[in-house]
Each structure stands twice: as C-alpha cells, then as structure tokens.
Amino acid sequence: MAYKFEDLEVWTRTLDYSDQVHDIAEQRPKHERYNLADQMTGATNSIAENVAVSLATAQASLLIGEASPCPEPSELSSL
C-alpha cells in the first residue's frame, strides 16, 4: 500500500511552519518583500516539496526492489 506524504506528521508540520513564515514575510517592509521575503517563502515551500519527493523516491525504490543504501563519505567525493 502506498503511503501518502500528506499523512506524514512532518508534512503537516511543514505546512504549519510555511504558513507562519508566509505571515512573517508579509509583515516585512515593502522593499524587502521581493528579496528576503521571496527567499524565506521559497525555502519553506522547498521543505514540503522535498518531503514529498523523498517519500516518492523511497517508495519507488522499494517497489522495484532497489533500496539504495546511503553512500560512504569517501564515495561522495567522486560524485
């Protein structure tokens, strides 16, 4: 059975956090809204997207039987 990312606690907490950051960004002075505020909201939106993509990738790997282990630190330098 597929596990929906919407059911994850981390997903719901991320949405709450994102709402808070969006509220803070709206309170910034107008000249900051298009730089700092955009970066703040973009970063929080990215968290939610990464949760969803990570779960989908993990599920796909399990479905095809190729659960890939984390690389060793020495292997990262060759990437």
Side-chain angles (χ1 to χ4, degrees):
M1 178 179 166
Y3 195 85
K4 296 183 343 186
F5 63 88
E6 294 96 342
D7 295 335
L8 295 172
E9 182 180 352
V10 69
W11 170 259
T12 57
R13 284 183 168 205
T14 298
L15 293 182
D16 293 339
Y17 178 69
S18 182
D19 288 341
Q20 291 174 7
V21 171
H22 280 265
D23 291 342
I24 292 169
E26 287 177 5
Q27 296 172 6
R28 303 304 310 153
K30 192 171 187 174
H31 68 277
E32 289 182 8
R33 286 189 195 157
Y34 303 106
N35 292 320
L36 178 61
D38 284 347
Q39 290 178 8
M40 290 168 52
T41 56
T44 58
N45 292 341
S46 178
I47 296 169
E49 293 168 5
N50 288 337
V51 169
V53 169
S54 296
L55 182 63
T57 302
Q59 287 177 338
S61 294
L62 291 174
L63 287 174
I64 60 174
E66 294 182 6
S68 55
C70 294
E72 294 295 322
S74 60
E75 297 173 325
L76 294 175
S77 62
S78 65
L79 297 178

